[in-house]
Amino acid sequence: MLPVFCVKMVSVDKFKSEFKQMITIKREAERMSIMKYCCSEHVELALDEAVDEFEVAPQLTKLESVDKSEFICGYCGQPAVYIVANE
Ligand SMILES: [Zn+2]
């Protein structure tokens, strides 16, 4: 009985970790959908739009520790400097 029990424990743990991953990915996807990337020129425009869209004061985050080339301003296509998000 013991080996069967062990297998069951492993599969439950595996299921739990996969479920956690799914939730994390879902949350990240939700967060992504309400994030705007913008360069320093368009940050004020992005903030104005965010206030209208989010209906709450948006949070501004400066991109410093990440590779900036991965993020592009949604207005002009230049490398993004800021992220505007609703959390
Ligand atoms: Zn821009």
Side-chain angles (χ1 to χ4, degrees):
M1 286 302 288
L2 192 57
V4 174
F5 179 73
C6 285
V7 167
K8 276 186 181 168
M9 288 301 287
V10 168
S11 64
V12 167
D13 281 349
K14 190 167 182 284
F15 174 77
K16 275 185 185 169
S17 75
E18 281 175 4
F19 187 71
K20 263 188 195 170
Q21 269 186 335
M22 267 168 52
I23 295 295
T24 305
I25 289 164
K26 190 168 179 285
R27 282 188 184 154
E28 280 173 4
E30 282 170 358
R31 200 163 58 215
M32 288 296 283
S33 68
I34 48 163
M35 285 169 78
K36 294 168 171 289
Y37 298 96
C38 54
C39 68
S40 52
E41 279 179 50
H42 293 107
V43 64
E44 284 181 32
L45 185 59
L47 284 169
D48 284 347
E49 284 193 5
V51 170
D52 290 342
E53 287 176 32
F54 305 160
E55 295 176 343
V56 292
Q59 186 161 15
L60 186 64
T61 307
K62 191 170 187 184
L63 291 168
E64 283 175 319
S65 57
V66 295
D67 184 359
K68 287 176 188 167
S69 64
E70 282 185 41
F71 304 103
I72 288 170
C73 173
Y75 303 94
C76 68
Q78 294 292 310
V81 180
Y82 298 98
I83 297 174
V84 179
N86 76 338
E87 60 176 34

